[in-house]
Amino acid sequence: MKIDFQYSTDFYGMNSAELDNACMHLLCLEGEGSFVFNEHCYHITKNDLVVIPMPDRVGNLAGHDDLQVEWFAADYKFLQGLLPSNNYSIGGSISLNQNPVISLTEEHADHILADFHRLRDRMGDRHLSFYRELMGSLCLTMMYDIFESHARREATDSHTDRTAYIVKQLMQLLATGISRTERNVGYYAGQLNVSPKYLSSTIKRVTGHSVTSYIDRHTIPILKDYLDDERLSLTQIAELMNFTSLSYFSRYCTKHLGLSPSDYRQSLQPKYD
């Protein structure tokens, strides 16, 4: 069963099947534990934070008798939709896929735990009209608190191998906004002087996600900005974004926005009783 939000203190529940589409955030409060992720074993102690998208890849959980944790999980796509495509979230997710454990200071651990508790305390307010918006704002606060600690870890690390270089160069290309007109994997492979197969396998191995998923994550905000601009016709937008036909443009919108271009625009109009 797909979940939206879940809070728990059960360490062994972090790889529950119902979390397959979630992103897990676990904070170690006391004691020691370990787990295997992407075929690597990780050890956690007090003030270690674990961030894992799609925790179905977690296994071999083991905790000492004194282990205490708290964790919060939310639908992965919901969390991704909260952040701009070129945010630190993209580069950060790549690094976390390689090492999901962040050692926090006492101060940062207190911030994260407070974030968990705010989310836990509002999970039951589903009757509110703006429940998802409320939870989204609290999730966003938690993610920026995590980014702060993760950025500090990354500042002390250096990545010089070729695979890390390829990933970094792809992200830099996408950050220019080039996906407005270029959405073919072959284009990016050519820019990086590698084969499409090599680029695809490298990105998948390092990040856990496909090249296409990163292209789309950069393209969708551009698409939304154009659709928000009522001065542009749908035909003009399709041309600006280099779609080969209006029907292909419409299919792309429906796939990634859940609505056709015209229906998406209609959803932006104010509703009156």
Side-chain angles (χ1 to χ4, degrees), residues 146-161:
I146 292 172
F147 290 167
E148 181 67 29
S149 296
H150 187 232
R152 291 170 184 258
R153 184 186 84 176
E154 290 303 286
T156 64
D157 291 344
S158 61
H159 304 286
T160 57
D161 60 89

Side-chain angles (χ1 to χ4, degrees), residues 160-181:
T160 57
D161 60 89
R162 178 163 173 74
T163 57
Y165 173 80
I166 290 294
V167 173
K168 181 179 179 180
Q169 291 300 303
L170 174 64
M171 297 308 156
Q172 288 181 347
L173 271 174
L174 289 170
T176 67
I178 190 64
S179 68
R180 175 178 70 85
T181 57

Side-chain angles (χ1 to χ4, degrees), residues 6-272:
Q6 187 166 329
Y7 165 85
S8 177
T9 59
D10 179 14
F11 176 65
Y12 294 96
M14 69 181 288
N15 68 341
S16 168
E18 66 182 15
L19 300 177
D20 285 356
N21 296 305
C23 184
M24 159 71 61
H25 311 82
L26 177 144
L27 181 65
C28 181
L29 305 179
E30 295 290 345
E32 300 178 41
S34 64
F35 61 93
V36 172
F37 175 67
N38 281 348
E39 301 180 353
H40 294 282
C41 185
Y42 296 94
H43 181 255
I44 58 171
T45 59
K46 183 178 180 180
N47 292 339
D48 280 346
L49 174 70
V50 181
V51 182
I52 298 180
M54 316 303 182
D56 57 316
R57 291 178 287 168
V58 172
N60 294 61
L61 297 167
H64 291 194
D65 291 341
D66 59 349
L67 177 64
Q68 295 179 33
V69 305
E70 292 188 33
W71 58 258
F72 175 79
D75 180 72
Y76 179 74
K77 289 186 177 179
F78 174 76
L79 295 180
Q80 290 300 312
L82 297 175
L83 294 166
S85 64
N86 61 349
N87 195 273
Y88 177 78
S89 60
I90 293 178
S93 67
I94 292 169
S95 174
L96 287 169
N97 191 68
Q98 296 175 299
N99 180 5
V101 180
I102 308 170
S103 295
L104 305 181
T105 65
E106 192 77 36
E107 179 185 8
H108 286 150
D110 288 343
H111 288 322
I112 298 299
L113 190 60
D115 292 332
F116 285 3
H117 290 170
R118 280 190 290 268
L119 285 158
R120 175 199 64 191
D121 294 344
R122 302 308 298 267
M123 281 173 54
D125 292 338
R126 294 180 178 275
H127 61 284
L128 298 177
S129 300
F130 297 97
Y131 173 71
R132 289 184 70 80
E133 289 82 359
L134 169 66
M135 293 297 288
S137 67
L138 295 176
C139 284
L140 192 57
T141 299
M142 175 189 70
M143 287 190 287
Y144 278 118
D145 280 337
I146 292 172
F147 290 167
E148 181 67 29
S149 296
H150 187 232
R152 291 170 184 258
R153 184 186 84 176
E154 290 303 286
T156 64
D157 291 344
S158 61
H159 304 286
T160 57
D161 60 89
R162 178 163 173 74
T163 57
Y165 173 80
I166 290 294
V167 173
K168 181 179 179 180
Q169 291 300 303
L170 174 64
M171 297 308 156
Q172 288 181 347
L173 271 174
L174 289 170
T176 67
I178 190 64
S179 68
R180 175 178 70 85
T181 57
E182 301 292 346
R183 291 174 294 278
N184 188 286
V185 174
Y187 169 83
Y188 294 95
Q191 293 295 305
L192 298 173
N193 297 311
V194 297
S195 70
K197 182 178 180 180
Y198 177 84
L199 179 61
S200 296
S201 62
T202 298
I203 297 301
K204 183 68 174 179
R205 183 176 71 255
V206 174
T207 72
H209 301 284
S210 67
V211 177
T212 301
S213 71
Y214 285 110
I215 295 172
D216 290 337
R217 283 173 64 181
H218 282 82
T219 305
I220 292 168
I222 298 172
L223 172 62
K224 287 182 176 180
D225 284 344
Y226 280 146
L227 289 172
D228 289 348
D229 188 346
E230 295 182 352
R231 297 170 299 178
L232 297 173
S233 69
L234 298 183
T235 299
Q236 287 174 312
I237 297 173
E239 291 176 349
L240 284 168
M241 298 190 71
N242 201 27
F243 284 98
T244 54
S245 68
L246 195 57
S247 61
Y248 178 34
F249 169 62
S250 181
R251 290 196 301 273
Y252 187 90
C253 287
T254 301
K255 177 181 178 180
H256 295 289
L257 301 180
L259 296 169
S260 68
S262 56
D263 287 344
Y264 180 82
R265 276 195 159 167
Q266 185 63 35
S267 72
L268 300 176
Q269 300 301 314
K271 296 177 175 60
Y272 302 101

